[in-house]
Amino acid sequence: MDVAAAACVAGGVLGAVLAAYLAGASGAARVYPHPVPGSAALQIVLALCHVGPIVGLLSLWSSGVVPRTRRARLAHHAAVAVLAALTVAEGVAISVPVSASGATPLAFAVVYAAYTALLGIALLVLGAEVARGGTWQGPRRRLTAVLGLWLLVAVLPALAFAPALAGWAVAAWLLLFAVLGVTLVPRSGRPEAERAALPARAFAVVTWVYVAGFGSASVPVAASLLESGQLPSFFGVFRMLAGPWSVGASPSTLLMLTAGFFVLTLTAAWAAWLVRHGSRAGAVLAFVLLPVEALFWYGLSLPIPWLLGVARLLLLVAAWRTVGARPAALRS
C-alpha cells in the first residue's frame, strides 16, 4: 500500500472513530457544537482526518482508475474541492455559537447540508465514471458511487430529520473511505517527460491548498454574518477576517468583502487549473490576480497567504517557460 492509500485508510478509520465517539457521547439532537468535554480538540482532529480521504481521491485519479473524460475530470475536481471546503467548515464549526434553543445555527446547518449534497452528487457521478471505465472489477467497481450515494440517502436525511444519528452516518461514510484506501491501485511511475511540468503542477497544488484553507473559509464566515451579524471567533483568539477593512464596517459591508474574497480565490483556483494544463493565458491571469489577492490579505489581516503567495509567485515564474508549450499528452 502506498503513502496516499495509507493516508486514506488512516484518515477514514480515525475519523470514523471520532465521529462515532462524538455522536455517542453527546446524544444531542444537533450537529454542532458537541456538548462533550474536549470536543473542540476532537473536532479539530476530526477535521484534519478529512485530509486522508482528500489524498485518497487524488490518488484515485493518478492511479488510472478514473477515465480521462470531461465528466469524470469535472466530478473528481468538484469532489476534491467540496471535500476540502467541508474540511474547513468542520474546523470553523468549533466557534459556532449555539442558538437559544440549543440547536445548530440555521445558516451554518444550511452550509453544511449544501456541501454534503454537492459532495454526494460529485462522488456519485465520479463513481459512475469509474464503473464505466472497467479498470476495477467486482464490488470495488461501485465503491466510489456508494460513497456519494451514502451521503445522499443516509447522511443528508439524517442532518435534516435526525441530527442525533448524523454522526453515526458520517462515521460509516468515513469507514467506506478507509475501504477505498485499501482497494486503491498503486500509482505507477511518472513518465520522464512530465518532469518539466512539475513547477506548474506544484503551483496549482499550492494555490488549491490556499483556496481550500482560506477561500472556502469565507462561506462559514458569511453564514456567521448572516446569522449573528458578527465575524466568527477562531478558538476565542481572534475574529476571522477581521482586518483594517473591517474596522467600523457594517455587517452588509463585511458580507460583500467576504463574498468578494471568495470569488477572487475561486478565480485564482481556476487560473491555477489553467496553468496546471499548460495555459499561458492562465499564467498571465494568475500573475494579474496575485496583487489583487495581496490587497485582500492586507485588508482582512491574513498573514499565512503572504507566505503561500511568495511560494506561488516563485513556482509560477519557474513554470512560465513550460506553459503554452507543453505537449497535449502532458495535459491530461
Side-chain angles (χ1 to χ4, degrees), residues 140-151:
R140 66 176 182 170
R141 184 181 182 186
R142 306 289 181 182
L143 180 56
T144 310
V146 171
L147 282 166
L149 189 64
W150 184 261
L151 285 177

Side-chain angles (χ1 to χ4, degrees), residues 4 16 47 207 225 290 300 306:
T207 301
L225 286 170
L290 274 171
L300 302 178
W306 286 97

Side-chain angles (χ1 to χ4, degrees), residues 33-48:
H34 300 284
V36 179
S39 62
L42 293 176
Q43 189 65 52
I44 295 174
V45 177
L46 179 59
L48 292 176

Side-chain angles (χ1 to χ4, degrees), residues 96-146:
V96 174
V98 184
S99 65
S101 63
T104 302
L106 178 60
F108 188 85
V110 170
V111 169
Y112 193 83
Y115 280 161
T116 303
L118 289 174
L119 181 58
I121 294 171
L123 287 173
L124 191 59
V125 174
L126 179 62
E129 291 297 304
V130 170
R132 186 177 294 113
T135 302
W136 275 352
Q137 300 297 324
R140 66 176 182 170
R141 184 181 182 186
R142 306 289 181 182
L143 180 56
T144 310
V146 171

Side-chain angles (χ1 to χ4, degrees), residues 40-41 43-44 90-95 232-240:
Q43 189 65 52
I44 295 174
E90 292 267 13
V92 174
I94 302 167
S95 61
S233 172
F234 187 77
F235 305 122
V237 179
F238 59 86
R239 292 281 178 182
M240 298 178 65

Side-chain angles (χ1 to χ4, degrees), residues 10-72:
V13 172
L14 180 57
V17 171
L18 290 177
Y21 170 75
L22 289 172
S26 64
R30 64 171 183 260
V31 182
Y32 299 111
H34 300 284
V36 179
S39 62
L42 293 176
Q43 189 65 52
I44 295 174
V45 177
L46 179 59
L48 292 176
C49 284
H50 285 70
V51 175
I54 291 174
V55 173
L57 287 177
L58 294 174
S59 181
L60 181 70
W61 178 267
S62 62
S63 68
V65 171
V66 184
R68 294 311 196 252
T69 63
R70 179 171 298 181
R71 181 183 300 175

Side-chain angles (χ1 to χ4, degrees), residues 200-284:
R201 296 176 189 273
F203 168 78
V205 170
V206 173
T207 301
W208 294 335
V209 168
Y210 149 71
V211 174
F214 295 92
S216 67
S218 302
V219 177
V221 168
S224 178
L225 286 170
L226 291 171
E227 186 75 29
S228 63
Q230 295 182 347
L231 295 170
S233 172
F234 187 77
F235 305 122
V237 179
F238 59 86
R239 292 281 178 182
M240 298 178 65
L241 304 186
W245 291 356
S246 65
V247 177
S250 65
S252 59
T253 300
L254 290 174
L255 191 59
M256 290 180 61
L257 288 172
T258 302
F261 181 62
F262 180 62
V263 173
L264 180 62
T265 57
L266 287 182
T267 307
W270 176 57
W273 182 84
L274 292 175
V275 172
R276 162 68 177 77
H277 289 274
S279 169
R280 179 62 61 90
V284 172

